Amino acid sequence: MRILVVNVNTTAAITDAIGAQAAGAASPGTEIVPLTPSFGAESVEGNYESYLAAIAVMETVRAYPEPFDAIIQAGYGEHGREGLQELFDVPVVDITEAAASTAQFLGRTYSVVTSLDRTVPLIEERLHVAGLSARCASVRASGMAVLDLERDPDAAVDAIVEQAVRAVEDDRAEVICLGCGGMSGLDERVVERTGVPVVDGVAAAVTIAESLVRLGLTTSKVRTYAAPRPKRMLNWPPKLG
Amino acid sequence: MRILVVNVNTTAAITDAIGAQAAGAASPGTEIVPLTPSFGAESVEGNYESYLAAIAVMETVRAYPEPFDAIIQAGYGEHGREGLQELFDVPVVDITEAAASTAQFLGRTYSVVTSLDRTVPLIEERLHVAGLSARCASVRASGMAVLDLERDPDAAVDAIVEQAVRAVEDDRAEVICLGCGGMSGLDERVVERTGVPVVDGVAAAVTIAESLVRLGLTTSKVRTYAAPRPKRMLNWPPKLG
Amino acid sequence: MRILVVNVNTTAAITDAIGAQAAGAASPGTEIVPLTPSFGAESVEGNYESYLAAIAVMETVRAYPEPFDAIIQAGYGEHGREGLQELFDVPVVDITEAAASTAQFLGRTYSVVTSLDRTVPLIEERLHVAGLSARCASVRASGMAVLDLERDPDAAVDAIVEQAVRAVEDDRAEVICLGCGGMSGLDERVVERTGVPVVDGVAAAVTIAESLVRLGLTTSKVRTYAAPRPKRMLNWPPKLG
Amino acid sequence: MRILVVNVNTTAAITDAIGAQAAGAASPGTEIVPLTPSFGAESVEGNYESYLAAIAVMETVRAYPEPFDAIIQAGYGEHGREGLQELFDVPVVDITEAAASTAQFLGRTYSVVTSLDRTVPLIEERLHVAGLSARCASVRASGMAVLDLERDPDAAVDAIVEQAVRAVEDDRAEVICLGCGGMSGLDERVVERTGVPVVDGVAAAVTIAESLVRLGLTTSKVRTYAAPRPKRMLNWPPKLG
Amino acid sequence: MRILVVNVNTTAAITDAIGAQAAGAASPGTEIVPLTPSFGAESVEGNYESYLAAIAVMETVRAYPEPFDAIIQAGYGEHGREGLQELFDVPVVDITEAAASTAQFLGRTYSVVTSLDRTVPLIEERLHVAGLSARCASVRASGMAVLDLERDPDAAVDAIVEQAVRAVEDDRAEVICLGCGGMSGLDERVVERTGVPVVDGVAAAVTIAESLVRLGLTTSKVRTYAAPRPKRMLNWPPKLG
Amino acid sequence: MRILVVNVNTTAAITDAIGAQAAGAASPGTEIVPLTPSFGAESVEGNYESYLAAIAVMETVRAYPEPFDAIIQAGYGEHGREGLQELFDVPVVDITEAAASTAQFLGRTYSVVTSLDRTVPLIEERLHVAGLSARCASVRASGMAVLDLERDPDAAVDAIVEQAVRAVEDDRAEVICLGCGGMSGLDERVVERTGVPVVDGVAAAVTIAESLVRLGLTTSKVRTYAAPRPKRMLNWPPKLG
């Protein structure tokens, strides 16, 4: 089984971290293929960058030359999952939704701890659209930018733990989701310091994608995610580089 | 990895069917242990029977003598999952929630097709409490009692397909969940005749339980699912048989 | 008119307090019959104990040998009311719902003050399922266990008042519901110290049950609460003692 | 105990019918005082008439010279209950809310059958504001105007039964509320023909008002329903006649 | 184009301020006609006064002798807009809804800052009924009575700014609506001190009313806002003065 | 005042129709600048095309060389409005939201009639995210593709009217929104045949954009729509043509 794990930003180091986290969660026999988009922002922290990432992820997967069994979109609170579902038949798993779905099996409520305050609304809206917000206690910002999380994991853990503790105590969360692709691999250290289960979206998404493939389940094509109708496209896809 | 798959009724033939479905979905190395409650109704089709099943499932698991890694409650729309989460640390997966969570990765909306009209409200309420009803298009009754589903699979498939088609066309469902433990194993025939993905809750629950175990995730004990406080119990557990 | 008032735990002193509170609220000519379950926990503070109480209450009422006109389930936030409605035709009134319904006639919003933090989610979910949460400002825990409330009423009043004041000031509640069967009889002292109406669920339930009986209204049997279908029951009801 | 039962329209025959229904539901020792507003429309079937009724009911109660213990506003889906709660300390019970609260103790869902299609939105909005719409299956119009219901009870019963049956079968209602003050007294005939419990709002309101008075509960004055601040009033109350 | 801008209280100075604010927002060629109700309270700060204002506004517009193109009800959180829509065909714009609709084009969430704590629930309920509460972060009270806002604009600005800042920081509001007709004209000073867009409901309502008129759109008469049916009215309209 | 009206597809004839509709709704002194995206699909009928349109619209506006006062995104149910709000300070008005906001001033409920069944979910989700779905009675598909609407206006009107009538009668809508940029200019003919107000989103958006500009209101930059942080962008914007 081959699963594409697509980063939403163009920073290769983050793709590497995501890929390692995914590989660590994969079953024997699952090949994880980490992909970096061929265009877009070095980090995604707002709607403009997120919409651009949505399209970049789609084109990056379209350009992938080999067959594959599932796609993981490894950005937290980003746009675009529905487009991937239209373009491909294989299961598509967004890490925001994977983390929330997994958290809901572990506690009555969960909170997400993300990077900057400005990304909170994006995550809230994605959870809302995905029908996964009823048990979301809060989405909290650690105040660290995506690239800073990457650069300084110790400071990242401190900032995440501070918000996680407040989520558990003030917002009555029972599970914490690490709300940023760049937080991959920090879960164990946050568990140690908070005492509640911590869900890493990338790892959760790998197990869900594997499960869907094993069960032979694919995206419903009956209405919302039907393949795009044949269309004349102007100047697209773009000529890169 | 050992997963207990607990039927909610006391009909051994249904336990067998559930066990076979679970085993078919399990990874190599996973041991599926099907259990029949030591007391309760031969089929569960209402609140009284479901509350009794809740307690029977808990006592049955408590009486299981060997270690295990996860519990699956294999009844659709039944009470009790929260009690199991209090009593045990290992992950607990209810098939109602497993099916809904899985369906949400496959289509924008899902419908459940269950046995009798009187069980529809139980399923609706469990999905509501689980925060999984926002994308539920409908819960529909096939009109067949649980034991009739077991006895006459051909009639069962016909009755399920009729409601599934109406769910897709009238309620705009994009995925169908088979809403009764007794429907285990009918999924492929329903797929053939409806053209949309069909989720079997038992199979979905197995993959979710395996995933949680593999990720090292266990039930949050911080508040709702903390272990029961030590108490004097009057006349409980019961002396059976 | 005879009304059964069933405690959810097996502590006779609490049954006595509930019975006295119910008798004080009853009209002349109403006979209050307090019942203690024949099995279960000495206090109910979580899902396991609550599910067990649900079944114990049902069996206790089934074993009651005389005719009766209504049933009150005197536990706050407990499971089981729907099962009683299936088993019997007479009106069934849960004190959680009785208190909330009554509070809604007195102020725009209400809060519940209960025993331990871990029982908050049970109450929230019962109000949610009962469609009574839209005007619920908050459910707050006094931090006192059920049996401690019983043993030390002065400390109980202090702890309840502290949370009630915060509910009124911070959560904008306009009415307080005493959220534990074991708080029966404390309402007047809480009114004195908070200045807002305080609803005792047992007393409220008695007047509602009496009203339903007087109006000739009984449980709808058309779907959800239809009598259980005839079934073979394994090892149930249990042999006690 | 004296309860004022205030009609919302100025048709004395409807006041009489409401008064008789209320008296029939009252306990011995309760005095029912039916009141007709001193100004307003002969029937209330829309927002303009309903807002006018709101004020007329308030002024009518203000002009009532004797002491009283509770107020019932006997119009279905009408504005104004909150104003009465500000002006008086005694409990105020709106029949729309009384019927819905009562119905919720009898079945999982209820429907309202009212007079004209144009009054459906008023009832829906009052239930929505009152936090009582979560279990409302539907509000259906019989198509008969208020005064026609009064004039031709046989046709009224036929029209109500037709919609009640559709509510039970199509909307999955389990209880029916008679959604018009002018339907008072028709409940038994609708029960006979539908087989589900039928709630008359006036009768329900009488028992609730009596219960609140007996329990010593009065309107919370802490915020929303505090007495109006002293104000200069221009040209009000009006000079009538 | 002539737009009636109707104050909800009987204080002429507030009508003047509202009229000036409206005129300042109007396009060339639009005539603003400020109206003071012919009866009612000097300020509206609760349900009784608000219901009275509803009727007073309707009668005041009915008594206006000239043709007009739109009506603005210039009270925040007041009852009555639906009645005006029944009585007239021209567009009716409530400033509460105008402000909220406008704010939603400027930020993801908005808060309302109003006069007294007791008016908060009225505003919340009007936004709820209008389907405009999903993006409302909070309704906050400045603690100043309506007539005090009018008398001491500097203190008003201070009190409003204090709550606006808390709304932005604590409630995550991105836009502020000035929630009282008596705050007309203070918007620019609040913008200066908060840095977020501030919406004045009267100004917003003028542009919306003008837009509806220019687009040739009028109130739908198909159901809810159909003209009242012909009725006998008792003692109404009142004889004033 | 200059308003950019940006089509979401690359079909110039539709841009022309949208531009004409916008110009017809504009005030004297407003310059309407219709823009066609420089890349993307000839019609937008699904998520992939819509995400691409989101980015294409943003880049097209970024490339516009002159100053402007507001932006209208003239696609129904399309992604991207939030990105425009980040990139620019001037007001951004999406026609989906403009139509819904306008409809809510005209009737209690509204329905949208759009092109294909597959676009219904996109519109529903955009209304949901925008907090404008509480009063949406339904979103209905005419069954005509975007380009067919353009090519055969008579068939389009027939298909729209059929669904509009069902929305009014079956779904209880009181206003109809034309849910496709390609329906611009058909509103009057639909009014004639349905008798309810019909809102054209482009026209509504023009008046809203003008109003916001006249009131001096701009996008809140305090959190969600703050300008993107400076970032390294890989291969973006694209080299076209």
Side-chain angles (χ1 to χ4, degrees), chain E residues 75-165:
Chain E
Y76 221 93
E78 309 312 349
H79 297 286
R81 181 258 302 155
E82 308 94 326
L84 289 167
Q85 287 176 299
E86 282 180 13
L87 291 173
F88 306 98
D89 289 345
V90 299
V92 176
V93 181
D94 175 282
I95 65 169
T96 324
E97 300 169 21
S101 282
T102 299
Q104 294 187 161
F105 286 105
L106 303 172
R108 183 171 172 256
T109 55
Y110 68 92
S111 283
V112 178
V113 181
T114 185
S115 53
L116 299 180
D117 189 49
R118 65 178 295 158
T119 67
V120 169
L122 282 99
I123 294 172
E124 288 177 347
E125 290 190 0
R126 290 307 293 182
L127 291 172
H128 191 49
V129 165
L132 292 169
S133 55
R135 289 165 70 186
C136 180
S138 58
V139 181
R140 284 180 168 271
S142 66
M144 293 189 72
V146 172
L147 297 183
D148 292 337
L149 288 167
E150 180 67 18
R151 279 181 209 123
D152 189 347
D154 290 338
V157 169
D158 285 347
I160 293 165
V161 165
E162 184 186 336
Q163 295 302 316
V165 168

Side-chain angles (χ1 to χ4, degrees), chain A residues 38 40 47 51 82 86 234-235, chain F residues 40 47 51 82 86 234-235:
Chain A
S38 50
N47 277 287
Y51 276 121
E82 307 94 325
E86 283 179 12
L234 178 67
N235 287 327
Chain F
N47 277 287
Y51 276 121
E82 307 93 325
E86 283 180 11
L234 178 67
N235 286 328

Side-chain angles (χ1 to χ4, degrees), chain C residues 4 16 21 30 40 49 76 97 136 146 172 207 211 225 240:
Chain C
L4 307 187
D16 292 347
Q21 182 78 359
T30 296
E49 294 153 5
Y76 222 94
E97 300 169 19
C136 180
V146 172
R172 302 178 69 82
T207 64
S211 296
Y225 307 132
L240 300 176

Side-chain angles (χ1 to χ4, degrees), chain A residues 38-40 42-43 45 47-49 51 59 80 82 86 117-118 145 223 226-227 229 231-232 234-235, chain F residues 38-40 42-43 45 47-49 51 59 80 82 86 117-118 145 223 226-227 229 231-232 234-235:
Chain A
S38 50
F39 56 94
E42 64 183 326
S43 67
E45 295 164 332
N47 277 287
Y48 168 62
E49 293 154 7
Y51 276 121
E59 296 306 331
E82 307 94 325
E86 283 179 12
D117 190 49
R118 66 179 294 158
R223 183 173 294 114
R229 305 172 76 217
K231 295 271 168 79
R232 264 181 307 175
L234 178 67
N235 287 327
Chain F
S38 50
F39 57 94
E42 65 184 326
S43 66
E45 295 163 332
N47 277 287
Y48 168 62
E49 294 153 6
Y51 276 121
E59 297 305 331
E82 307 93 325
E86 283 180 11
D117 190 49
R118 65 178 294 158
R223 182 173 298 113
R229 303 172 77 216
K231 295 272 167 79
R232 264 180 310 174
L234 178 67
N235 286 328

Side-chain angles (χ1 to χ4, degrees), chain B residues 93-115:
Chain B
V93 180
D94 176 282
I95 66 169
T96 324
E97 301 169 20
S101 282
T102 299
Q104 294 187 161
F105 286 104
L106 302 172
R108 182 171 172 256
T109 54
Y110 69 92
S111 283
V112 179
V113 181
T114 185
S115 54

Side-chain angles (χ1 to χ4, degrees), chain D residues 10 37-43 45-49 51-52 54-55 58-59 62 79-80 82-83 86-87 116-118 121 125-126 128-129 145 223-224 226-229 231-236 238 240-241, chain E residues 10 37-43 45-49 51-52 55 58-59 62 79-80 82-83 86-87 116-118 121 125-126 128-129 145 223-224 226-229 231-236 238-241:
Chain D
T10 51
S38 50
F39 57 95
E42 64 183 328
S43 66
E45 295 164 331
N47 277 287
Y48 168 61
E49 294 154 7
Y51 276 122
L52 182 52
I55 282 297
M58 291 183 222
E59 296 305 331
R62 272 153 67 104
H79 298 286
E82 307 94 324
E86 283 179 12
L87 290 173
L116 299 180
D117 189 49
R118 64 178 294 158
E125 291 190 0
R126 290 306 293 183
H128 191 50
V129 164
R223 182 172 297 111
T224 309
R229 303 172 77 217
K231 295 272 168 79
R232 264 181 307 173
M233 303 297 285
L234 177 67
N235 286 328
W236 196 259
L240 301 176
Chain E
T10 51
S38 50
F39 57 94
E42 65 184 326
S43 66
E45 295 164 332
N47 276 287
Y48 168 62
E49 294 153 6
Y51 276 122
L52 182 53
I55 282 297
M58 292 183 221
E59 296 306 330
R62 272 153 67 105
H79 297 286
E82 308 94 326
E86 282 180 13
L87 291 173
L116 299 180
D117 189 49
R118 65 178 295 158
E125 290 190 0
R126 290 307 293 182
H128 191 49
V129 165
R223 181 173 296 112
T224 309
R229 304 173 74 217
K231 295 271 168 81
R232 265 182 307 175
M233 303 297 282
L234 178 67
N235 287 328
W236 197 261
K239 291 162 195 150
L240 301 175

